[in-house]
Amino acid sequence: MKYTLVTGASRGIGRAIALLLAKTGQPVIINYRTNEAKALEVKRLVEATGTPAELLAFDVANEAEVDRAMDAWEAAHPDDWISVLVNNAGIRHDSVMFMMSDEEWHSVVDTTLNGFFYLTRRVLKHMMPRHRGGRIVNMASLSGVKGLPGQANYSAAKAGLIGATKALAIEVAPRNITVNAVAPGFVETDMTCDLNEDELKRQIPMRRFAKPEEIAEVVAFLVSPAASYITGEVINVNGGLYT
């Protein structure tokens, strides 16, 4: 059986992605780090669509945790594999560079970039030699495309993810695996609740933040058969902010 794994799926964009992809009928693995209550809520909503769902708790930035979780999942699913991976987990610790701490830099880069590396490498071990197919979508950001002040760490992590997306897409294309990135602008989630929304909306041509579900729709397209010849691309979803 094929599975879909969405990281950081207990809230925000990840939650919306998990719920939308559940409508395809493919079982969904809901990754989370600490918020089990929210993850259980997503699991219940996925199952309400008639699609099976599982929880898988691990910190994507911790290589040992990733390996332990995947070892356990693979042992419990010897005949199954993950055919869709959405690398969505990410965090923000905004600060101007000269005041940024080591922890603020490393935690953001480790979660986005190292997390992508640890988990994607593991999933590819089954996608490539055994099944010769799959879909990988990496959640980038407007910050990684154009850079935003106060986000040198976040911009570096997301820009690195975009570069890795393009390189990996070339590596795995002969195995019928596509790798793409989605770069949202400002989205209505708890990650952006501390921002001055009224001020930022004046910079956006569409004069509003995106809904998480609007980002999820793009991900759903990229993992669908309709996008089988699209790889190495970065899809900007920002209301015209960066055009």
Side-chain angles (χ1 to χ4, degrees), residues 221 224-230:
F221 167 69
S224 74
S228 59
Y229 202 59
I230 299 173

Side-chain angles (χ1 to χ4, degrees), residues 31-182:
N31 162 258
Y32 68 101
R33 186 169 64 92
T34 57
N35 199 334
E36 184 177 22
K38 288 292 187 182
L40 284 168
E41 180 184 345
V42 177
K43 181 176 184 290
R44 177 181 61 80
L45 292 171
V46 169
E47 291 173 337
T49 69
T51 298
E54 300 180 12
L55 300 185
L56 199 59
F58 61 88
D59 180 358
V60 297
N62 187 312
E63 182 180 8
E65 283 193 29
V66 171
D67 285 340
R68 279 196 298 269
M70 295 307 296
D71 284 344
W73 189 87
E74 290 169 6
H77 297 268
D79 298 320
D80 304 325
W81 64 293
I82 294 167
S83 66
V84 174
L85 171 61
V86 182
N87 287 301
N88 167 75
I91 59 174
R92 280 179 48 227
H93 285 303
D94 294 355
S95 178
V96 290
M97 170 83 70
F98 82 96
M99 294 178 64
M100 186 175 291
S101 68
D102 289 357
E103 193 278 332
E104 287 171 333
W105 175 271
H106 288 294
S107 62
V108 171
V109 172
D110 288 351
T111 299
T112 292
L113 204 49
N114 291 351
F116 153 80
F117 172 65
Y118 296 144
L119 185 57
T120 305
R121 177 179 60 178
R122 182 64 184 257
V123 170
L124 281 172
K125 290 180 180 179
H126 294 278
M127 278 188 182
M128 289 188 68
R130 293 179 56 189
H131 301 283
R132 297 176 67 87
R135 299 284 184 268
I136 298 170
V137 178
N138 299 319
M139 197 56 56
S141 170
L142 169 71
S143 186
V145 175
K146 70 182 294 288
L148 292 177
Q151 290 192 336
N153 50 359
Y154 194 71
S155 293
K158 295 299 188 179
L161 186 62
I162 288 171
T165 296
K166 292 176 177 292
L168 182 60
I170 298 169
E171 290 181 14
V172 301
R175 295 292 190 272
N176 196 35
I177 299 168
T178 65
V179 188
N180 293 288
V182 177

